Amino acid sequence: MSASLSRPPRVGVWLIGARGSVATTVVAGCAAVTAGLHPPTGLVTETPAFADCGLPALSSLVFGGHDTTDCPLPKRAEQLAAGGVLPAGLPAAVEAELGAADAEIRPGGPGAGDTRGDERLIGEFAADISDFVRRRGLARAVVVNVASTEPAATGSELPPSSLYAAAALRAGCPYVNFTPSTGLHHPALAPLAESSGLPYAGRDGKTGQTLLRSVLGPMFAQRALAVRAWSGTNLLGGGDGAALADPAAAEAKNAGKERVLADTLGTTPEGRVHIDDVPVLGDWKTAWDHVAFDGFLGTRMILQTIWQGCDSALAAPLVLDLARLAARAHETGLSGPLGELAFFFKDPVGEAPSALAEQHAQLERFAGRLRGGAGAGDGSAETGEGRPPRARRDHMTRSGEEAG
């Protein structure tokens, strides 16, 4: 057999917000791990539970996407390295891979003064994706939204994230929404999601403060400790900080954080999360939580946590995980909401537990289904065939990054 015939099929990863910090870290990180320059730290799909699941190899992933900005990926990577987000020297080491991905980025929209209607925008976005799959000889492609948070959608108008989601399904691609933006959650897209026969997952990647809450919330509930108040503060800069300075976008972001507490505690405690834009922090974020709870005989106690992390470095491996899992789900014939991927999200589609340990157990069971290969599924995700996403109001899209 020739080398070309024995090579594993290539899989596309089409990123919405393809020149943002998360997307740049995804491309650079995938190249670095593939070349053996860095270990796959943070990649859940590289742990033993996912061995022999038939997931596409990292080396088989081909990147492209949409964005409204024109800063080339190699330049963006240099900026991230200067800020300590990427290791020094990595942009130069993977410059070829960054350049190849940048060559596959197409103009997004709608921009200021754009007169194209929704149908034309969806059609053009879908054509870009289909052309990418055809030209690169890909077995399939997964569309992943990693753009900045939108304000909540109102009325019947489709926000940009929903235009991209509709384009993904029209192009025959699984869709993953890593942001709190509306995407497929718009009621107008429910029939399309149901009839597409495609798997989809989301929304809002769980990478920092909410990840910790999904562990601590069940702890309090299981130990029968009464949480009286749970407050928090986020300090962050970069594209997220600027986007979340908009109160409407911040409200959309906080909805998932609060939902995790309500689901795991069985009640909604007092307190809110406050988000402050601190531009000097760049891609780095500090999340502080203050938990007031009662113990035996009403003894009042406090737990405080501080999470300091780099959004892009936390999000990028999960984006790669999700792209690989969604691609394999598509290959095995699964369709509808992938509730089994709730482990990765604040507000998952489909039916799923909220506690992280339960979500991880569900994810490992899903790995077993994927390991069965093509035909192992019944044509639908475990959470229900063709079930449309929950119609909740959420948020919008531009180039950028989303995590937390």
Side-chain angles (χ1 to χ4, degrees):
M1 182 179 294
S2 69
S4 61
L5 292 177
S6 62
R7 185 174 61 188
R10 296 189 299 173
V11 172
V13 181
W14 189 264
L15 300 166
I16 308 303
R19 290 192 171 112
S21 296
V22 169
T24 305
T25 307
V26 166
V27 176
C30 185
V33 172
T34 297
L37 301 176
H38 289 271
T41 305
L43 274 165
V44 177
T45 49
E46 287 294 302
T47 60
F50 296 88
D52 304 320
C53 280
L55 301 180
L58 292 172
S59 59
S60 74
L61 301 183
V62 181
F63 298 95
H66 282 114
D67 209 312
T68 57
T69 65
D70 56 8
C71 178
L73 283 182
K75 181 65 175 177
R76 183 69 183 120
E78 291 175 2
Q79 295 170 350
L80 293 177
V85 177
L86 296 179
L90 183 60
V94 298
E95 184 176 8
E97 290 86 348
L98 290 166
D102 192 70
E104 296 292 350
I105 298 176
R106 300 293 178 263
D114 199 327
T115 59
R116 292 174 294 175
D118 288 355
E119 181 60 29
R120 181 178 171 186
L121 285 164
I122 293 170
E124 292 182 1
F125 294 157
D128 289 337
I129 300 168
S130 297
D131 180 63
F132 170 66
V133 173
R134 177 187 57 78
R135 284 187 301 98
R136 301 304 300 268
L138 307 177
R140 59 186 45 80
V142 177
V143 176
V144 186
N145 182 15
V146 290
S148 293
T149 302
E150 298 173 340
T154 57
S156 60
E157 183 178 355
L158 293 179
S161 66
S162 295
L163 299 176
Y164 290 118
L169 299 188
R170 184 172 297 187
C173 297
Y175 173 77
V176 176
N177 188 0
F178 201 73
T179 82
S181 299
T182 304
L184 280 181
H185 279 66
H186 197 287
L189 297 186
L192 177 62
E194 185 173 4
S195 65
S196 69
L198 294 164
Y200 51 87
R203 66 185 163 174
D204 200 2
K206 183 167 58 188
T207 61
Q209 185 178 41
T210 311
L211 177 67
L212 190 59
R213 288 179 168 209
S214 68
V215 175
L216 294 177
M219 178 196 73
F220 284 108
Q222 291 162 4
R223 287 293 301 271
L225 298 171
V227 175
R228 295 185 293 111
W230 198 314
S231 303
T233 294
N234 276 194
L235 306 176
L236 69 163
D240 268 356
L244 295 175
D246 179 350
E251 181 66 24
K253 182 73 172 177
N254 282 336
K257 294 177 182 288
E258 294 167 1
R259 188 174 300 113
V260 167
L261 293 183
D263 289 348
T264 57
L265 295 174
T267 184
T268 303
E270 294 181 5
R272 297 275 293 170
V273 174
H274 299 276
I275 300 176
D276 292 330
D277 178 24
V278 185
V280 70
L281 294 180
D283 204 54
W284 298 83
K285 178 167 70 176
T286 296
W288 171 72
D289 270 19
H290 183 281
V291 187
F293 65 98
D294 289 345
F296 190 52
L297 304 179
T299 305
R300 294 195 165 187
M301 293 174 267
I302 297 293
L303 171 69
Q304 295 188 51
T305 66
I306 298 176
W307 178 289
Q308 294 179 302
C310 174
D311 266 0
S312 297
L314 290 164
L318 303 187
V319 171
L320 290 169
D321 285 334
L322 287 162
R324 300 173 81 190
L325 290 164
R328 178 59 175 161
H330 186 224
E331 182 182 13
T332 59
L334 297 180
S335 66
L338 297 177
E340 298 92 336
L341 302 186
F343 176 78
F344 297 98
F345 299 106
K346 297 184 184 72
D347 184 20
V349 298
E351 299 299 324
S354 296
L356 192 70
E358 295 176 32
Q359 291 175 341
H360 189 263
Q362 184 182 52
L363 181 63
E364 289 193 329
R365 291 193 296 271
F366 184 60
R369 296 182 67 204
L370 296 181
R371 192 173 289 112
D378 61 359
S380 65
E382 186 175 321
T383 51
E385 181 173 359
R387 181 183 301 155
R390 288 173 287 178
R392 286 181 178 154
R393 295 171 54 187
D394 268 34
H395 341 297
M396 257 165 75
T397 302
R398 229 189 292 245
S399 114
E401 51 278 351
E402 185 57 47

